[in-house]
């Protein structure tokens, strides 16, 4: 399972980054009023967010949520995981948007807008991946 889990986490990283980058570009463009700024922020985030997401995914994989030896996957776990990722992602977005736009207020606006859109998108991404067994040799599901 350990070798396969790396493949799963890389696949999850890539699928989430595609969704997240599109959302960032769109929000950055709308908030800044400049498509170039939106594209620049999105492209820088491809790198930073993939690295941060991979390490976040690895950390959550190592957290043992089990009862009597059976790993529990639940909506509560996905919600907590969503909030921890969003905190990391929002801070990263705010810093990148501030640097690229040159305006700290633009960074804050983009970061706060993403809190809502990304948490919704991330929750559904997690739920979808929960239903996919790619990279898992054995898993017990719970509702």
């Amino acid at each position: 399972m350990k070798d396969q889990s790396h493949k799963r986490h890389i696949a999850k990283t890539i699928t989430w980054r595609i969704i997240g980058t599109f959302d960032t570009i769109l929000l950055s463009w709308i908030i800044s009023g400049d498509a170039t700024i939106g594209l620049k922020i999105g492209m820088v985030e491809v790198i930073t967010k993939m690295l941060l997401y991979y390490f976040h995914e690895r950390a959550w994989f190592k957290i043992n949520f089990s009862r009597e030896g059976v790993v529990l996957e639940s909506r509560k776990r996905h919600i907590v995981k969503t909030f921890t990722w969003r905190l990391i992602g929002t801070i990263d977005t705010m810093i990148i948007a501030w640097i690229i736009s040159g305006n700290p207020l633009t960074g804050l606006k983009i970061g706060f807008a993403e809190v809502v859109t990304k948490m919704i998108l991330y929750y559904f991404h997690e739920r979808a991946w929960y239903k996919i067994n790619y990279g898992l040799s054995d898993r017990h599901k719970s509702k």
Side-chain angles (χ1 to χ4, degrees):
M1 182 166 158
K2 191 170 186 168
D3 293 333
Q4 290 294 315
S5 71
H6 288 283
K7 291 178 185 177
R8 177 180 179 83
H9 298 154
I10 290 169
K12 283 180 73 174
T13 299
I14 292 168
T15 59
W16 173 245
R17 188 53 3 230
I18 290 167
I19 294 165
T21 298
F22 180 74
D23 184 60
T24 297
I25 291 169
L26 187 60
L27 288 173
S28 298
W29 178 8
I30 291 168
I31 291 169
S32 72
D34 186 339
T36 304
I37 287 176
L39 287 169
K40 286 179 182 178
I41 292 168
M43 294 304 107
V44 170
E45 276 196 353
V46 167
I47 297 163
T48 62
K49 290 287 194 311
M50 284 184 79
L51 290 170
L52 291 170
Y53 183 86
Y54 177 79
F55 290 118
H56 180 261
E57 193 65 27
R58 293 303 301 163
W60 272 91
F61 180 71
K62 293 179 184 216
I63 296 171
N64 185 10
F65 284 90
S66 65
R67 184 182 310 146
E68 299 175 12
V70 177
V71 175
L72 302 175
E73 291 281 339
S74 70
R75 284 182 169 78
K76 288 179 186 176
R77 181 180 189 275
H78 294 144
I79 289 170
V80 173
K81 190 174 174 185
T82 298
F83 277 95
T84 60
W85 171 244
R86 192 64 261 137
L87 177 65
I88 293 165
T90 297
I91 291 168
D92 184 56
T93 297
M94 287 178 178
I95 293 169
I96 291 169
W98 176 2
I99 292 168
I100 290 175
S101 72
N103 183 340
L105 188 57
T106 299
L108 287 170
K109 286 179 182 177
I110 293 168
F112 285 124
E114 277 195 349
V115 166
V116 176
T117 61
K118 291 285 195 315
M119 285 182 70
I120 293 166
L121 292 169
Y122 184 80
Y123 176 80
F124 287 111
H125 180 261
E126 277 298 302
R127 293 303 298 162
W129 270 96
Y130 177 63
K131 296 174 188 296
I132 298 169
N133 286 324
Y134 177 77
L136 299 176
S137 58
D138 184 30
R139 159 171 82 179
H140 298 285
K141 290 186 180 182
S142 66
K143 294 181 183 178

